Amino acid sequence: MPTVAQSSTETDWVSRFADDVIAESERRAPGKPVVVASGISPSGPIHLGNLREVMTPHLVADEIRRRGHEVRHLISWDDYDRFRKVPAGVEGVDESWADHIGRPLTSVPAPQGSPHQNWAEHFKAVLITSLAELGVVYDDISQTEQYTAGVYREQVLHAMKHRGDIDAILAQYRTKKAPVKKSQKPLDEAELEAAEGSGAAGEDDGNTSAGYFPYKPYCGNCDKDLTTVTAYDDESTELVYTCTACGFSETVRLNEFNRGKLVWKVDWPMRWAYEGVIFEPSGVDHSSPGSSFQVGGEIVDSIFGGQQPIGPMYAFVGISGMAKMSSSRGGVPTPADALKIMEAPLLRWLYARRRPNQSFKIAFDQEIQRLYDEWDKLGTKVADGSALPADVAAYTRAVGTAAGPLPATPRPLPYRTLASVVDITAGHDEQTVRILRELDPADPLTSLDEVRPRLDRAENWITSQVPADARTIVRSEPDTELLKSLDDDGRESLRLLLDGLDSHWSLDGLTTLVYGVPKVMAGLEPDAKPTPELKTAQRSFFALLYRLLVTRETGPRLPTLLLAVGADRVRTLLGA
């Protein structure tokens, strides 16, 4: 696939970061692969806010690949973090899971019924499947495996030897309060949950009454991190700790002990230096003054001899229609939830078109129809060359990666049309294909495979996100009372519509017909431009049709509804 931006440009934010990252990598590590990184804590459902932690470096890494450079996107699974709390609403989990608070995520059992061996693997698996669908290529690193295998042993001993220096850096910030960023205030409960992240930013930094120790052992008896280091000898590396949860005490040699980890504010910069990370974004909970990212910049330099990555702050990802979600499980929806109702390129586009510091919302309500309209319109503009360069770049990044294009719907009919059809047909394939075939008689659909996977996404949206009382149910019998109550103008407007059905039986034709009837009734030509008075008349006419067809005054777009109901049944319900 060609490069989105062939040289240094101002085309879009991804190209600008790629320029900076390539230059910085060549300065720091010439001849080596460019390293970008993400950190994900599988402490519960990994939601669409967390996905920005992955998509931001993915998009930059992919642009670097398009330019012919070797690049590694590391995803560090923070699965050796402590289990902080029981997430609300997770199926197969009850109050008993609170007994595991303080244990490593990989030591907590998976929710009941899960095929996975522990809590972390259960929640990692869902995201891994979604990342594959989204075309994200990465190298994954389990922090449980790294720590328990002693991979960071030298770094741990080094940090303990220089604990006084680390303590001095942290002491500068312990009494400071970060200013409130009004522009980044979460707008709703979903965004608040997203902003909280893994909670690592709020973990203790190793300061104890016995002194400062940047290493936290997991208890040898209860496996919890509710431990306090009481002594450490630099020469022998003997470490003494006591568990406040169970009272267990133990003396270990840190040069051979692998059941613990560095505290977060030391662990993160240690990894930057160890992996040679050039680019890694961070959420707002890590980016305020005195927080993990700022403190980490000092620690990585003065303690580990490394350099802080280029690290943009990323803003909130909100949810439109969150309250109506049947699959929210008490938390923010996941990438898997989004991919059930939208195609992967559309979800990629939402992250690609906004700079990391710009917040945006992902639609689970009716807004998804408008979003798809915008997406299809952009595709048309890209195809005819009328789109702006930044829009072309975002679209190109959405529909494919350096490895090639993502799967696409061969014939992408409007999402709102597909949703209306499956709403009316309740997913009946024969009925659905009949209606879709009649949308464009000059180029009829031959198989539902032509409109998949978009059709499946639209059907999932209708069945999972649209409340039952908002679904479309076509009348089985005419509303004789309403038909009898019509005045002469009402009956005449229905006659004009019925007389034009056969000659206008296509999506475009019926659109012209239903909008044209009120114009003819007003003594105008069918193609006359609408006036405010005419728009009022059209709304009244549409409301009448909806009442006669589906008992409500609103519903799917009338041309689609008429096609779905079928000409014979329309005639019956409209009193022909």
Side-chain angles (χ1 to χ4, degrees), residues 194-412:
E196 184 180 341
S198 69
E203 297 290 348
D204 72 66
D205 63 12
N207 194 30
T208 73
S209 58
Y212 177 76
F213 303 100
Y215 183 81
K216 193 84 165 171
Y218 281 107
C219 177
N221 180 53
C222 69
D223 202 24
K224 296 182 178 181
D225 73 341
L226 302 174
T227 56
T228 300
V229 176
T230 57
Y232 179 70
D233 181 72
D234 287 311
E235 293 300 320
S236 66
T237 74
E238 279 195 354
L239 179 146
V240 182
Y241 75 86
T242 300
C243 180
T244 58
C246 68
F248 181 77
S249 183
E250 185 179 22
T251 300
V252 300
R253 285 185 178 273
L254 206 51
N255 62 1
E256 59 187 28
F257 180 76
N258 297 327
R259 198 180 61 250
K261 68 187 292 288
L262 292 170
V263 296
W264 170 249
K265 288 186 177 181
V266 182
D267 175 68
W268 198 13
M270 178 275 290
R271 286 192 249 159
W272 290 339
Y274 183 84
E275 302 290 357
V277 179
I278 305 296
F279 180 85
E280 181 173 4
S282 59
V284 292
D285 56 337
H286 293 307
S287 299
S288 58
S291 68
S292 308
F293 192 80
Q294 181 177 10
V295 175
E298 295 191 38
I299 292 176
V300 70
D301 178 23
S302 60
I303 304 301
F304 295 108
Q307 295 182 64
Q308 188 176 37
I310 296 171
M313 181 203 76
Y314 57 85
F316 298 114
V317 176
I319 306 300
S320 172
M322 172 73 186
K324 295 180 180 178
M325 283 197 64
S326 59
S327 59
S328 64
R329 301 174 306 277
V332 184
T334 65
D337 291 324
L339 290 169
K340 289 175 184 174
I341 65 169
M342 63 181 71
E343 295 159 275
L346 179 66
L347 186 57
R348 286 175 61 90
W349 177 61
L350 297 179
Y351 289 86
R353 69 172 180 161
R354 295 283 185 258
R355 296 191 304 274
N357 64 353
Q358 291 179 309
S359 60
F360 65 89
K361 291 204 171 194
I362 295 178
F364 280 79
D365 56 9
Q366 296 282 345
E367 182 69 10
I368 193 173
Q369 298 186 0
R370 186 206 60 78
L371 196 63
Y372 253 104
D373 288 344
E374 186 180 354
W375 168 250
D376 289 342
K377 185 176 181 181
L378 174 59
T380 300
K381 286 185 174 182
V382 170
D384 66 21
S386 63
L388 296 174
D391 292 333
V392 173
Y395 183 85
T396 304
R397 301 187 198 291
V399 298
T401 69
L406 269 68
T409 298
R411 188 166 178 174

